[in-house]
Amino acid sequence: MSATQELPGWTHTYSGKVRDLYTPDPAHPVGRAALDTHGDVVLVVASDRISAYDHVLSPGVPDKGVVLTRLSLWWFEQLADLVPNHVVSAVAPDVPAAVLGRGMVCRRLEMFPVECVARGYLTGSGLVEYRASGAVTGIPLPPGLVDGSRLPAPIFTPATKAELGEHDENVSLDVVAAQLGAQTATTLRDLTLAVYDRAEGIARERGVILADTKLEFGTDPVTGRVTLGDEVLTPDSSRFWPADAWEPGHAQPSYDKQFVRDWLTSPGSGWDRASDAPPPALPADVVDRTRARYLEAFERLTGRALG
């Protein structure tokens, strides 16, 4: 994982696969100003790192962090009447110049320890479960569905959060209810499906299918409201497919890091996924093609050039 940036007034506290987290330094004028202006906040910076199969790869994908941040900000605007979000500011001087475009100052939330997943189409781990049991996280589905099939109605299929390098585990709504309480579990389900329904319609108008998406929620300690956090509806957290190429029965072309996954599992990479060896460096053409897919997703969904 690449070294994090030094940002005057902010202290690096955590790095995930893609994002770096900073807290204000109260001893520094910049940090003190952030605390005085916004209260208990964090700076979330999306890097250009890319991960696959629970490994952070090298090199990164240029502009990926900007795409993730700007697309999240755009979606937060589209969803503002459905659910509050954690963003306080994404502009200077709140966001340091060195990470402008990739950083968001956000309210600190008390996060729920669950990934909130909505699926409108059958693929990925949901397809694996369906083939084994005819259901996904205990939700029975009609027989005869194939990879890429549209579901009769979107379903909520939560997952437990895994540590860095580990797999999330799909669980039932009952498991979430036992952990967080029935009312909270129902609220998370209803908000997740409402967000998916809104976003699926917006994406479809732009010729894009939103197959599934993963959301994270927390409680705002000031308002007490369930609030949408982290990123939202990006190619890292969602499966976006070109609508004009949708054809159930096989894997769909997608606006994400599929080029990276395909190369890693090809003979050309020479990498054994089952081994303990780290993946090899990505070739330039794989990086370039992946960057192009992220940019295309941003431009098709928002109608804007990254600029």
Side-chain angles (χ1 to χ4, degrees), residues 69-94:
T69 299
R70 289 187 55 183
L71 190 54
S72 288
L73 290 169
W74 185 82
W75 278 115
F76 282 134
E77 292 177 1
Q78 314 309 308
L79 303 168
D81 61 317
L82 287 180
V83 59
N85 64 74
H86 66 156
V87 177
V88 170
S89 177
V91 300
D94 296 319

Side-chain angles (χ1 to χ4, degrees), residues 48 61-74 100-102 235 290-307:
D48 289 340
V61 175
D63 297 320
K64 179 172 176 281
V66 175
V67 167
L68 297 183
T69 299
R70 289 187 55 183
L71 190 54
S72 288
L73 290 169
W74 185 82
L100 198 60
R102 298 192 291 116
T290 301
R291 176 180 181 271
R293 293 302 266 177
Y294 275 78
L295 290 175
E296 185 179 354
F298 176 85
E299 291 169 0
R300 288 194 69 168
L301 288 167
T302 68
R304 307 168 183 170
L306 190 63

Side-chain angles (χ1 to χ4, degrees), residues 165-280:
E166 301 295 328
H167 290 287
D168 294 342
E169 180 182 355
N170 294 346
V171 296
S172 68
L173 180 65
D174 289 342
V175 171
V176 178
Q179 184 177 12
L180 302 178
Q183 182 175 348
T184 297
T186 299
T187 296
L188 294 178
R189 180 198 63 192
D190 292 350
L191 284 175
T192 299
L193 292 176
V195 167
Y196 177 83
D197 184 66
R198 170 73 59 81
E200 192 275 338
I202 291 172
R204 183 172 292 277
E205 290 173 354
R206 291 156 170 79
V208 177
I209 289 174
L210 173 60
D212 55 42
T213 193
K214 177 176 66 176
L215 307 173
E216 294 199 32
F217 295 93
T219 302
D220 187 322
V222 176
T223 66
R225 297 183 66 187
V226 175
T227 299
L228 186 57
D230 197 54
E231 65 174 356
V232 63
L233 295 158
T234 74
D236 271 14
S237 63
S238 313
R239 285 189 176 91
F240 292 112
W241 299 336
D244 58 6
W246 176 55
E247 185 181 59
H250 55 80
Q252 310 298 309
S254 56
Y255 294 108
D256 61 10
K257 51 194 173 187
Q258 194 59 47
F259 289 125
V260 171
R261 299 188 192 99
D262 290 347
W263 181 78
L264 284 173
T265 55
S266 73
S269 77
W271 180 55
D272 180 4
R273 184 181 170 189
S275 73
D276 293 330

Side-chain angles (χ1 to χ4, degrees), residues 113-134:
V114 61
E115 305 279 7
C116 294
V117 179
R119 302 177 189 270
Y121 292 75
L122 189 62
T123 193
S125 63
L127 177 64
V128 174
E129 282 194 48
Y130 172 78
R131 285 173 170 169
S133 66

